[in-house]
Amino acid sequence: MKYALMGILVAAAAQPALGAEHPTRIPVLEQVKHPHTYYWREMYMPQLTSGPSAATFSPDGKSVIYSMQGSLWRQAIGDDTVYELTAGAGYDYQPDWSPDGRHVVFTRQHGNTLNLMLLDMETGIATALTGGDAVNLEPRFSPDGSKLAYVSTALDGHFGIHVAAFNGKTLQNSRPLVAGKISEKYRYYYSQADHAINPAWSADGDTLYYVSNPETAWGTGDIYAISVSNPGTPRHVIAEETTWAARPQPAHDGKRLLYASYRGRQWHQLWITGVDGKYPLPLTFGDYDIWQPRWSPDDQSLIYVTNEDGGLALYHHTVVGGARQKVEAKKRVYKRAMQPLEITLADDTGKPVAGRVSVLGSDGRHHAPMDARIHADDYMDPSRADHETHYFRCDTHCTVMVPEGTVSVQASHGFEHKLATAKVTVGGSATPLSLTLARNELPEAFGTFTSADMHVHMNYGGKYKQTQALMAADAASEDLDIVYNLIVNKEERIPDIAEFDTGLKRFGGVTVYQGQEYHTSYWGHLGLLHLDDHYLTPDFSSYWHTGLASAYPTNAVVQDLAHEQGAVSGYVHPFDGAPDPEKDAKVTHSLPVDAALGKTDYLEIVSFANHENTASVWYRLLNLGFHVAAGAGTDAMTNYASLRGPIGLNRIFLDGVKADEPASLKAAIRGGQGFVSNGPLVGLLVNDAKPGSTLNFGADGTTIQVKAALRSPVPVERFELVMNGEVLKTFDVLDDGTSADVEAEVQVAGSGWMLVRAVAKASHPFVQDIYTYATTNPVWLVVEGKPQTAPEDAAYFIAWLDRMAEHAGARDDYNYAWEREAVLADIAKARKIYEGKLQ
């Protein structure tokens, strides 16, 4: 194959369409060996938040110490003045006050690890109790102060409970108490190695209550009790499913057990039972979460954290009568000199805009406004920083209290604006900082675009409580036009089920649609957009060891049901690694079945997966003539503190549509009218035809005119023209890798497709993804009498289908024989289609 650049004909050595793997980002706390980090890290690990995240009573019950904005704070109940106790390197969480009042033990995240620290209440000096790279957290003093229980990954990388003697200064003779057992039941969201978390002492000073999951297939596990002096066999207390949040708390009277649960509900509230676990009853009520409960020393009141106002707040609650008092930090007394940084955001015309802002202080910690919801990246680049980036939404103007010294600030407003960065020295008074976010759009000839995140979860077990209005405000700060909230289960509950609506809602310039993610990790997850009648229940299938274990319904059945409602359907977060039918232990993803049978409208190419590996499978489908369009979705859990990425991190740009016209949106998604990206804007014109178009040529072929453009807020390493899965040309990129306007001539002798893509493997704090990636949808090229053939790709999918049939046919958990027959019949039907494409 040959191409001509600006009229000069040059021979092209076809390059593989996949780039070399050299990622620079690593998962936060990658030393923890439990899978699905985006679950346990948010739902279990402490996070940097503006509001309180955990608290402990003083021994006399008159004061509390709590973690907030990375420090520990002390406040008398009934007072509104709060005193900062710690302000060292790292972020401080999970305090526990010693029974004699002399010490507070807490967890400090410093760099990419967590260790236990001891605060001397008389001197104010904090010293380390543990060290190394293990994760240590949830420390709790025994009733007499002589021992400390805590959770650690030191033994094998899994969460286990350890106990150590405490001599007033150090820990001694630390030993694992509950850890390490390998369960026989297959698990998907949890490690085969059991975890043990949430230790809490009983009044006798020998019994520890905790949460663990031996031989539990789904959920965080049940509440158990174990003797510290004579461990033996743990006593099972109560069966629960609380997504990492139960935190059982024995009362000091030795009779009652308090814990958080969403039993029969969508939100965590407090429940109370006896120490035998029988007949639990609810203690609190509300459509919001209550977490981290602690009894007062006299058992007459509680403190707990709640997200009922959206962010996090601390409440003091009397047990009898339920009177509540918010513990508010109205006056803050800092441990070090702090000053306000006044940030103002505007575009290059002077128009105020909202944006995503990250502020790194002179203390090496990230800071945010007192009322902001702080979010954290779930990956980090050790070559750039010693911990993950934290950020917040700034609605055109915001005030951040920062330590005196040099402060680094980065601000952004979506992909069509340049980033703004600044370093400013904060001295003895308020410091103003104005940042300009200049527009940086593709030339108009490439299209007029509306942007959408096709895969968002508004509420999904996170620290915060999200609303549609707040979610839209976050989207506006990211310059995102459309949000598809895919309502989905988190195991036993569907937090946003009450939000389902077949219409749309407008919040300023943002349009919100309610969609659905259908869960089956056997066949692959589906996105269902624009359902016009009802939500499809039960929302999941092929859940091992349950009454919904059957592999039926397949995704083909679900997509048929969605299409009956006029919906658009597609596969979400498809592939971390491209499936290898010859080597993989199991191949069950049903994309090739549904693509062949015409069930699937789109495939998330830019998503919570590996973009290039997913694209390699997509290219094979395109080579076989399947018009599966590119989609993009962040899989953002917008109520998370440790967010997978901000809403709109992965988005689609649709050409020539309006956000409030569902029919045109559905047609544009199905038709591949535009491009998908996590940063760069990419444009393509082939003989002035845009992506999604089909060009027809005579039998002799022709020379086509290709125009491409790139505008990016971050540098890209490769801007490439791809035809039929092979790279024809890598274009020169200007302006430090952020801009290109190119033209080329390409000789076309046979049918196929063409697209452009941009890639950068080097990390950038703005792109909170495994790497930077953008691709247009293809322009289709049809040469009369010369159809595209790809027998190797057809053989690849045939091998894939054979492995599917082998595994699905061997399953013994179908409800009826006809279910197995229906599953295998669809696979066989798809196989015949691929057999026809072998020629």
Side-chain angles (χ1 to χ4, degrees):
M1 190 174 294
K2 296 183 177 181
Y3 58 79
L5 296 177
M6 304 303 289
I8 303 174
L9 199 63
V10 187
Q15 304 171 34
L18 292 180
E21 293 289 345
H22 54 282
T24 56
R25 286 162 55 83
I26 63 172
V28 174
L29 303 177
E30 66 172 351
Q31 63 270 47
V32 179
K33 301 306 180 185
H34 292 277
H36 297 272
T37 60
Y38 49 93
Y39 288 156
W40 57 257
R41 186 177 167 232
E42 170 67 16
M43 299 177 191
Y44 176 54
M45 305 297 292
Q47 302 294 336
L48 179 64
T49 54
S50 288
S53 60
T56 179
F57 274 106
S58 61
D60 62 8
K62 296 180 180 179
S63 299
V64 291
I65 291 176
Y66 56 90
S67 52
M68 178 176 67
Q69 290 197 322
S71 296
L72 299 186
W73 303 78
R74 179 174 182 172
Q75 187 169 354
I77 293 174
D79 196 357
D80 61 5
T81 300
V82 60
Y83 299 87
E84 188 177 35
L85 300 179
T86 64
Y91 304 97
D92 298 339
Y93 307 110
Q94 298 180 330
D96 191 59
W97 215 323
S98 66
D100 60 10
R102 295 175 55 190
H103 302 98
V104 170
V105 64
F106 62 95
T107 298
R108 171 170 290 176
Q109 181 181 354
H110 188 202
N112 199 28
T113 191
L114 283 84
N115 274 297
L116 303 185
M117 303 291 294
L118 185 70
L119 177 66
D120 187 307
M121 293 297 291
E122 182 177 343
T123 66
I125 297 174
T127 55
L129 290 177
T130 64
D133 295 331
V135 170
N136 301 284
L137 67 162
E138 291 198 278
R140 298 294 291 270
F141 281 111
S142 62
D144 64 1
S146 66
K147 293 183 287 292
L148 196 74
Y150 61 100
V151 173
S152 179
T153 63
L155 184 65
D156 58 4
H158 298 99
F159 298 123
I161 293 174
H162 291 230
V163 174
F166 176 66
N167 64 5
K169 294 183 179 180
T170 62
L171 299 183
Q172 297 176 325
N173 303 318
S174 180
R175 59 185 173 93
L177 184 68
V178 185
K181 179 181 174 292
I182 303 298
S183 279
E184 295 181 2
K185 279 193 175 179
Y186 169 78
R187 294 168 177 158
Y188 180 73
Y189 291 111
Y190 300 88
S191 170
Q192 288 304 118
D194 297 345
H195 58 247
I197 57 175
N198 302 161
W201 294 89
S202 65
D204 64 14
D206 184 64
T207 303
L208 272 178
Y209 288 84
Y210 66 97
V211 172
S212 190
N213 63 334
E215 301 306 329
T216 301
W218 300 96
T220 314
D222 298 347
I223 297 175
Y224 289 83
I226 193 170
S227 168
V228 175
S229 61
N230 185 23
T233 301
R235 174 172 61 90
H236 184 267
V237 176
I238 188 170
E240 263 304 318
E241 187 346 64
T242 64
T243 57
W244 302 97
R247 289 188 164 83
Q249 303 294 310
H252 299 86
D253 61 15
K255 300 177 181 178
R256 293 170 292 170
L257 187 67
L258 182 72
Y259 63 98
S261 172
Y262 61 73
R263 176 187 294 254
R265 306 175 179 182
Q266 307 296 356
W267 302 90
H268 284 93
Q269 289 287 317
L270 300 185
W271 290 70
I272 194 165
T273 185
V275 292
D276 59 4
K278 292 182 178 179
Y279 315 119
L281 292 171
L283 189 65
T284 62
F285 306 84
D287 290 332
Y288 48 84
D289 292 305
I290 290 179
W291 289 308
Q292 303 279 355
R294 298 292 294 267
W295 292 96
S296 63
D298 61 6
D299 292 337
Q300 300 304 300
S301 63
L302 311 170
I303 49 173
Y304 53 71
V305 174
T306 173
N307 61 13
E308 58 195 87
D309 297 324
L312 298 182
L314 185 66
Y315 276 84
H316 182 248
H317 179 125
T318 57
V319 176
V320 177
R324 300 202 311 159
Q325 181 181 16
K326 191 174 185 179
V327 181
E328 292 188 85
K330 294 182 178 179
K331 301 175 184 177
R332 302 190 184 202
V333 179
Y334 290 95
K335 188 176 175 68
R336 62 266 168 87
M338 301 281 284
Q339 298 296 338
L341 176 65
E342 304 283 351
I343 300 173
T344 302
L345 305 178
D347 66 15
D348 45 349
T349 69
K351 176 185 175 182
V353 295
R356 184 203 325 167
V357 175
S358 180
V359 175
L360 184 65
S362 60
D363 57 354
R365 302 199 313 184
H366 287 93
H367 297 266
M370 294 180 184
D371 59 350
R373 289 188 300 182
I374 305 173
H375 299 288
D377 192 352
D378 65 350
Y379 271 62
M380 59 175 288
D381 182 350
S383 68
R384 288 180 174 268
D386 68 351
H387 68 290
E388 66 272 25
T389 297
H390 297 267
Y391 56 95
F392 57 90
R393 185 185 80 234
C394 179
D395 291 325
T396 73
H397 179 83
C398 48
T399 300
V400 184
M401 295 298 294
V402 295
E404 293 183 349
T406 301
V407 180
S408 299
V409 182
Q410 177 181 283
S412 63
H413 182 59
F415 300 178
E416 297 179 271
H417 293 76
K418 295 183 178 180
L419 304 180
T421 59
K423 284 192 175 183
V424 60
T425 300
V426 174
S429 61
T431 301
L433 177 63
S434 296
L435 296 173
T436 300
L437 298 157
R439 295 198 68 84
N440 187 36
E441 300 168 296
L442 287 173
E444 189 174 348
F446 291 93
T448 304
F449 296 102
T450 296
S451 61
D453 191 330
M454 301 171 71
H455 189 166
V456 173
H457 302 301
M458 191 170 78
N459 288 295
Y460 196 71
K463 296 289 191 296
Y464 306 126
K465 184 180 181 185
Q466 183 69 289
T467 66
Q468 290 192 47
L470 288 172
M471 180 174 65
D474 289 343
S477 72
E478 299 288 343
D479 196 28
L480 183 69
D481 300 314
I482 300 171
V483 177
Y484 286 99
N485 177 37
L486 301 192
I487 299 171
V488 67
N489 77 299
K490 181 65 193 88
E491 290 166 13
E492 295 176 345
R493 60 179 174 154
I494 304 177
D496 282 336
I497 189 66
E499 302 290 334
F500 182 76
D501 190 336
T502 59
L504 62 88
K505 290 187 178 179
R506 296 276 291 176
F507 301 89
V510 177
T511 303
V512 178
Y513 292 96
Q514 305 300 321
Q516 178 176 358
E517 181 177 358
Y518 202 95
H519 263 175
T520 161
S521 297
Y522 187 73
W523 300 120
H525 292 190
L526 292 175
L528 309 177
L529 314 180
H530 297 289
L531 293 162
D532 66 10
D533 187 76
H534 65 278
Y535 186 86
L536 298 180
T537 57
D539 189 54
F540 37 83
S541 63
S542 196
Y543 267 41
W544 304 93
H545 312 299
T546 75
L548 295 170
S550 175
Y552 185 92
T554 62
N555 282 348
V557 173
V558 172
Q559 289 178 99
D560 281 345
L561 293 172
H563 288 149
E564 288 174 6
Q565 296 192 46
V568 176
S569 69
Y571 276 88
V572 299
H573 50 69
F575 307 114
D576 289 322
D580 185 341
E582 302 299 326
K583 297 180 181 179
D584 291 350
K586 182 178 73 172
V587 181
T588 63
H589 200 285
S590 59
L591 170 65
V593 172
D594 297 340
L597 300 183
K599 310 291 187 182
T600 299
D601 300 307
Y602 70 90
L603 176 67
E604 282 186 358
I605 304 301
V606 180
S607 71
F608 192 7
N610 188 301
H611 321 306
E612 287 193 321
N613 288 343
T614 297
S616 73
V617 178
W618 183 47
Y619 292 168
R620 292 180 184 271
L621 293 173
L622 299 182
N623 285 344
L624 295 169
F626 297 120
H627 287 222
V628 177
T634 304
D635 202 1
M637 291 77 161
T638 69
N639 70 325
Y640 272 27
S642 58
L643 199 58
R644 183 257 150 173
I647 189 170
L649 167 65
N650 301 148
R651 65 182 74 179
I652 189 170
F653 288 81
L654 297 169
D655 181 32
V657 299
K658 294 183 179 179
D660 57 355
E661 296 181 355
S664 65
L665 290 172
K666 289 191 287 185
I669 292 170
R670 289 190 181 109
Q673 296 172 210
F675 65 94
V676 294
S677 177
N678 61 18
L681 310 178
V682 288
L684 172 67
L685 295 172
V686 180
N687 286 359
D688 292 327
K690 298 175 181 177
S693 302
T694 299
L695 299 178
N696 294 283
F697 308 107
D700 294 333
T702 189
T703 299
I704 58 175
Q705 306 295 320
V706 176
K707 297 179 182 178
L710 167 75
R711 300 290 186 274
S712 180
V714 300
V716 305
E717 298 163 6
R718 295 180 278 125
F719 183 40
E720 300 170 325
L721 179 66
V722 177
M723 184 172 180
N724 297 351
E726 296 178 340
V727 175
L728 288 186
K729 174 62 181 177
T730 299
F731 298 116
D732 292 333
V733 184
L734 306 176
D735 300 327
D736 297 324
T738 63
S739 178
D741 291 284
V742 296
E743 297 183 13
E745 289 184 349
V746 178
Q747 288 184 339
V748 175
S751 300
W753 52 271
M754 179 176 288
L755 57 76
V756 293
R757 70 183 185 191
V759 186
K761 291 298 181 70
S763 74
H764 192 284
F766 171 77
V767 180
Q768 294 178 18
D769 208 334
I770 55 175
Y771 52 83
T772 302
Y773 191 88
T775 179
T776 66
N777 266 288
V779 174
W780 293 90
L781 311 172
V782 178
V783 176
E784 183 182 353
K786 297 180 180 179
Q788 184 181 6
T789 60
E792 290 184 3
D793 295 330
Y796 168 78
F797 286 119
I798 288 172
W800 184 329
L801 295 177
D802 287 344
R803 293 294 307 282
M804 285 180 63
E806 174 189 8
H807 196 278
R811 292 185 62 159
D812 61 0
D813 51 3
Y814 293 96
N815 298 310
Y816 310 100
W818 66 260
E819 291 183 342
R820 174 188 280 105
E821 293 167 3
V823 168
L824 297 180
D826 273 355
I827 298 173
K829 190 183 302 183
R831 194 183 195 283
K832 285 189 177 296
I833 294 172
Y834 288 103
E835 287 173 357
K837 292 179 179 293
L838 281 173
Q839 306 303 319

